[in-house]
Amino acid sequence: MHDDIDFDQILNQYRSDPFEYIDVRTSHTGLLQFRAKEEDVVEGVTGEWQHIKGTLLFELERERNIKPVHSSVIGVVSSIERSLEGKFVEAGETVMTIRHPLKKREIIERILKNVLSIFPAPERAKYFFAMDIQSRIDKHGQRSISIKPNDEILTMSLMKRDTPVSYQGAPGIIHSVYFEPGQTIDQGQPLLGICSEDTLPLIQKIIARVKAEWD
Amino acid sequence: MKDRVLIANRGEIAIRIMRACKELGLDYVIVYTDADQDSQHVHLAMEDQDGRKRAWRVASYTDPNDILAVADHTGCTAIHPGYGFFSEDYRFARRVTIRDRPLTFIGPNWEVIKSLGDKINTKRVANRLGIPTIPGTDGPIYNEMEAEEVATQLLDNQQQQKIKNPSILVKAAAGGGGMGIEEVFRIEQLRRVYRQVQNYAKRQFGDGGVLIEQCLRDYNHLEVQLVCSRHGERLHFGTRNCTIQSTGRQKRLEAAPGFDVSCFTYDFDAPKVLRQIVDYSLKLADHVNYDNVGTWEWIVARNGTPYLLEVNTRIQVENDVSARISYLHNKQPNLLREQIRLALGDTMGYDQKSIDFRGSSIELRLVAEDTNRGFAPWIGTISQFSFPQEDWAAVYTHVPFDRAYTIPSEYDPNLALVLVWGDDMTMAKNRARQFLDGTVIEGHNNHGEAIMTNIPYLRGNLERLLTF
């Protein structure tokens, strides 16, 4: 069904602009002091347990408590809102943009988003895996979880109520997860990418092709 | 220095506080979250800039660091917590008032919040003062034998009073919000249930203490509105009845006064019971040196026996139901204005005799919900929102009238509070019906289905008001 995918065109697109531009926002209010500058190369979180912090980007001070904010991704600072330096900023303010070079794995994920069966968010809400699914993911990893229509896979939390969400779509395995538990997801945004049995050859083909052709 | 109030809340109450501040000549600042950017409370504050930024986006309404940072940055001198969120959090109240840059917490002092926020402590203090509380323990039980003794006595007492299907409730002492509560009908069931609740309490709250109380079924839920100052003045603004609630124990229809003989033939002297609960409430308030607005919640059994349930140490959603039947110098007071003024140190300026109670009032809480499906919240976008303009009604809402509004899924789908009043309860009910008939709320959800509101439920329950 996806045999008409033009791999050359897709890969050329990524070759011409192999970056993602990530806006860095303030997590809360406070006095802002930048600690990185334009064109600085920044490191992301690293380490076996993601325990090594990325490059310090800026600090937010509230009630004499200083909160350092580190880069979560590798890249280059492409722009900074210099006008905010030393100012009191609101929560959610965009303060800088990082140009992040896409890795092979990220490109594969992006291409797969067009191939996998996407299970979208039924409402704008916070989502969590159903307890049973979560414990199976913890034990065996998401790609070992097969789901079929009417399986209770998620809990949707909105307006102080938790509602079970049943899967609707072709049977398959959970290949990709596009949400963070507890994060608000807009209605229609992808939650899961499901790989059905008949898409498996295509997915393997995509992975092999990107691996072979991407430096 | 003139006070500037930070409003640490959202929706309609933020708008009411905003207006009260302006009427008192006080400046204000609001906070809002990303999800609330289309709320009318944000738009009104944004429009009211006159050179000052009055609306600040924060991470959450429950992030005290953000709220205090905005308060400091904007030079606020006081914080109004509204209802919910931080309104009954004594730690927050304490932190606001005891810091390098102290602010006024618009509410009772933190020690009073702490003392009355603990239901067991409230019950114990009330019992010491001879104020009736729900029969049962006034402290956690850790011993099975003691639990059985109390349970036996409570079941026997109910049998002696010829109560049908007597039962008791076994509750986790550290619990709340209806969690960890089991009903016991026969003493043989007690030990098993006791152990079950004790285990649950240990697991959930780290404390195996258990409370045992008589289970009351046939009752009305009443409230007494108190207004007190920092100068030892304590007055009441009457009673209200909040019995009609959703399955999740959320109030939907309230009326004042608390009982009305035109609605029901009570088995007791209703005015006397109302006087009793007001007197008891004031007695407890005096004892704890209560110093701002507060609500004393009561359960009144069908035979007229009142039991103190708890004290809400904050302004309540429904405060205006009481205000609409209370006249100060022939005008209905604004209790939010009174709350702010008194918290900032004013004296009352009037006494109990100055408050003239007359007429009846009803509050209708308009909510987007499916009342036939367990009051399930409705999510979607409101496209039409209009109410009749009457001089016997008031509407408090954060839903804009001039543009479409998507209900944020982060909060309850409350749409508006409607207050109607009249010379008597019959008139108030008729006006409530008339008002609901003239209300237009249109909208659709993501699937194109029309909005569901609780208007039919409200209309259908008006006759149930103030009855058993």
Side-chain angles (χ1 to χ4, degrees):
Chain A
M1 59 180 179
H2 293 283
D3 288 347
D4 53 344
I5 288 181
D6 186 344
F7 283 109
D8 292 332
Q9 194 206 338
I10 292 172
L11 288 174
N12 280 338
Q13 260 176 21
Y14 285 111
R15 275 206 185 91
S16 65
D17 186 16
F19 301 106
E20 184 184 2
Y21 296 84
I22 298 168
D23 286 338
V24 182
R25 293 191 166 84
T26 51
S27 52
H28 57 68
T29 61
L31 273 177
L32 175 74
Q33 292 293 336
F34 287 110
R35 296 295 178 228
K37 54 187 189 305
E38 282 93 341
E39 298 306 319
D40 273 1
V41 174
V42 293
E43 295 295 330
V45 185
T46 52
E48 193 179 347
W49 298 282
Q50 300 281 292
H51 60 291
I52 302 167
K53 287 174 184 164
T55 308
L56 179 62
L57 298 177
F58 59 88
E59 289 170 343
L60 281 175
E61 185 189 331
R62 290 187 303 197
E63 292 187 294
R64 295 203 307 271
N65 291 313
I66 293 173
K67 176 167 182 169
V69 178
H70 300 264
S71 179
S72 57
V73 293
I74 193 167
V76 171
V77 177
S78 62
S79 67
I80 286 187
E81 279 298 325
R82 278 280 160 210
S83 60
L84 298 174
E85 174 83 58
K87 298 262 171 65
F88 185 83
V89 291
E90 296 176 278
E93 191 89 58
T94 301
V95 294
M96 61 170 65
T97 304
I98 293 175
R99 193 173 64 237
H100 164 67
L102 291 167
K103 292 175 190 160
K104 213 180 275 185
R105 179 178 47 80
E106 290 167 321
I107 290 170
I108 291 171
E109 270 300 325
R110 280 157 183 249
I111 297 173
L112 290 185
K113 230 176 192 177
N114 300 313
V115 178
L116 296 167
S117 303
I118 299 296
F119 184 69
E123 300 289 352
R124 180 183 154 85
K126 293 184 170 88
Y127 291 87
F128 303 87
F129 277 111
M131 276 169 72
D132 169 46
I133 301 274
Q134 184 65 59
S135 65
R136 282 160 59 198
I137 290 174
D138 292 344
K139 266 188 201 161
H140 312 291
Q142 70 196 39
R143 289 186 189 163
S144 66
I145 313 292
S146 303
I147 54 171
K148 57 183 188 310
N150 300 320
D151 279 358
E152 193 183 307
I153 51 166
L154 296 165
T155 298
M156 177 174 75
S157 177
L158 80 166
M159 290 172 176
K160 300 181 192 165
R161 288 194 186 210
D162 284 353
T163 312
V165 178
S166 298
Y167 174 65
Q168 299 303 328
I173 59 148
I174 301 177
H175 187 279
S176 302
V177 177
Y178 303 118
F179 71 97
E180 291 282 330
Q183 179 193 4
T184 299
I185 307 291
D186 280 333
Q187 190 255 339
Q189 287 301 303
L191 290 172
L192 304 171
I194 307 300
C195 173
S196 56
E197 210 172 318
D198 59 337
T199 23
L200 200 57
L202 182 63
I203 284 168
Q204 283 162 344
K205 191 172 154 191
I206 291 168
I207 293 171
R209 178 87 192 263
V210 176
K211 276 186 175 169
E213 295 197 16
W214 198 262
D215 305 325
Chain B
M1 189 182 81
K2 209 173 184 184
D3 281 292
R4 180 174 296 139
V5 179
L6 182 133
I7 302 168
N9 214 298
R10 64 181 294 274
E12 71 78 23
I13 190 66
I15 296 174
R16 274 201 274 174
I17 298 167
M18 218 184 279
R19 286 188 183 137
C21 286
K22 288 176 94 163
E23 285 166 17
L24 289 166
L26 301 172
D27 200 0
Y28 70 88
V29 167
I30 67 137
V31 290
Y32 69 99
T33 60
D34 218 16
D36 258 344
Q37 60 180 339
D38 293 325
S39 167
Q40 190 67 358
H41 93 272
V42 182
H43 277 245
L44 288 173
M46 294 265 194
E47 284 163 13
D48 193 16
Q49 301 272 352
D50 63 13
R52 282 190 70 88
K53 182 173 164 61
R54 285 202 174 79
W56 292 82
R57 191 173 56 231
V58 291
S60 149
Y61 294 107
T62 51
D63 183 337
N65 303 322
D66 254 12
I67 288 166
L68 288 167
V70 172
D72 289 344
H73 178 71
T74 54
C76 284
T77 55
I79 292 189
H80 197 309
Y83 47 69
F85 299 129
F86 285 126
S87 59
E88 292 180 276
D89 184 334
Y90 79 87
R91 290 182 183 89
F92 180 76
R94 184 175 60 191
R95 183 169 164 190
V96 165
T97 47
I98 304 174
R99 63 199 294 265
D100 287 355
R101 188 178 170 274
L103 304 161
T104 303
F105 180 77
I106 299 180
N109 75 69
W110 69 267
E111 283 152 314
V112 170
I113 300 175
K114 186 181 181 197
S115 162
L116 295 180
D118 177 346
K119 285 187 192 184
I120 299 171
N121 183 55
T122 303
K123 192 171 180 180
R124 205 175 289 144
V125 175
N127 286 347
R128 266 207 311 271
L129 295 172
I131 296 169
T133 58
I134 296 173
T137 51
D138 63 2
I141 293 180
Y142 296 91
N143 178 314
E144 204 169 282
M145 302 285 279
E146 191 187 346
E148 198 167 60
E149 199 177 309
V150 173
T152 307
Q153 196 184 351
L154 288 171
L155 287 168
D156 287 351
N157 286 350
Q158 289 175 73
Q159 263 159 358
Q160 279 163 23
Q161 289 170 46
K162 297 191 172 131
I163 292 171
K164 280 183 196 166
N165 299 323
S167 70
I168 54 169
L169 295 177
V170 182
K171 302 176 175 181
M179 283 161 59
I181 302 177
E182 295 292 333
E183 193 169 356
V184 169
F185 293 88
R186 295 189 318 276
I187 197 65
E188 304 83 72
Q189 299 172 313
L190 183 86
R191 288 200 179 205
R192 182 186 55 78
V193 172
Y194 173 84
R195 285 174 201 161
Q196 181 189 331
V197 174
Q198 190 184 41
N199 283 337
Y200 174 84
K202 269 187 198 160
R203 215 173 46 241
Q204 290 290 328
F205 313 113
D207 182 329
V210 161
L211 295 179
I212 299 180
E213 282 179 351
Q214 178 178 334
C215 177
L216 298 168
R217 281 194 201 85
D218 195 9
Y219 59 80
N220 265 220
H221 182 147
L222 271 77
E223 294 178 349
V224 176
Q225 177 67 59
L226 295 195
V227 175
C228 311
S229 77
R230 307 280 199 227
H231 306 280
E233 301 156 297
R234 290 180 195 96
L235 307 181
H236 73 88
F237 279 78
T239 58
R240 51 184 180 248
N241 192 312
C242 310
T243 309
I244 300 179
Q245 302 182 3
S246 72
T247 43
R249 294 241 166 274
Q250 288 188 313
K251 294 162 192 165
R252 287 293 178 266
L253 267 172
E254 294 107 333
F259 287 125
D260 189 314
V261 291
S262 74
C263 298
F264 192 73
T265 310
Y266 301 108
D267 295 344
F268 52 88
D269 181 346
K272 189 179 162 193
V273 171
L274 295 182
R275 273 197 308 275
Q276 253 181 349
I277 61 172
V278 166
D279 290 345
Y280 282 138
S281 302
L282 284 166
K283 189 177 181 181
L284 181 54
D286 281 337
H287 182 78
V288 297
N289 288 322
Y290 202 83
D291 61 352
N292 199 245
V293 300
T295 302
W296 266 243
E297 297 214 358
W298 292 85
I299 292 290
V300 178
R302 185 182 272 268
N303 66 5
T305 310
Y307 303 104
L308 178 68
L309 192 62
E310 63 182 39
V311 179
N312 290 153
T313 55
R314 58 173 156 86
I315 192 81
Q316 279 195 306
V317 177
E318 62 271 27
N319 73 82
D320 211 38
V321 193
S322 299
R324 297 294 175 181
I325 61 156
S326 315
Y327 289 81
L328 261 175
H329 312 300
N330 231 14
K331 277 188 180 164
Q332 294 166 329
N334 178 335
L335 296 185
L336 277 160
R337 212 164 50 209
E338 292 304 287
Q339 181 191 24
I340 297 168
R341 192 175 68 77
L342 297 172
L344 295 176
D346 266 12
T347 52
M348 201 82 81
Y350 49 87
D351 60 14
Q352 191 67 58
K353 283 184 201 143
S354 322
I355 306 168
D356 179 25
F357 293 103
R358 58 174 191 262
S360 300
S361 64
I362 296 173
E363 179 175 82
L364 309 150
R365 297 196 192 194
L366 265 57
V367 183
E369 62 185 358
D370 184 353
T371 54
N372 295 321
R373 217 165 46 84
F375 295 80
W378 182 90
I379 309 142
T381 301
I382 293 172
S383 49
Q384 279 288 323
F385 198 60
S386 69
F387 296 104
Q389 302 293 314
E390 303 288 358
D391 56 8
W392 41 259
V395 178
Y396 304 122
T397 179
H398 61 285
V399 178
F401 294 100
D402 58 349
R403 58 183 189 277
Y405 174 75
T406 301
I407 300 172
S409 63
E410 285 82 350
Y411 309 108
D412 286 333
N414 299 329
L415 301 180
L417 299 176
V418 175
L419 275 300
V420 294
W421 55 92
D423 295 342
D424 52 38
M425 195 53 78
T426 308
M427 186 187 269
K429 282 181 189 174
N430 287 337
R431 285 177 167 178
R433 279 186 204 97
Q434 186 184 330
F435 196 94
L436 289 174
D437 289 345
T439 296
V440 178
I441 305 177
E442 290 173 6
H444 288 89
N445 65 13
N446 290 322
H447 315 289
E449 295 156 346
I451 185 171
M452 300 198 81
T453 72
N454 63 345
I455 289 179
Y457 171 86
L458 296 173
R459 198 185 280 114
N461 276 281
L462 278 167
E463 272 317 304
R464 268 183 65 212
L465 273 172
L466 312 186
T467 66
F468 275 88

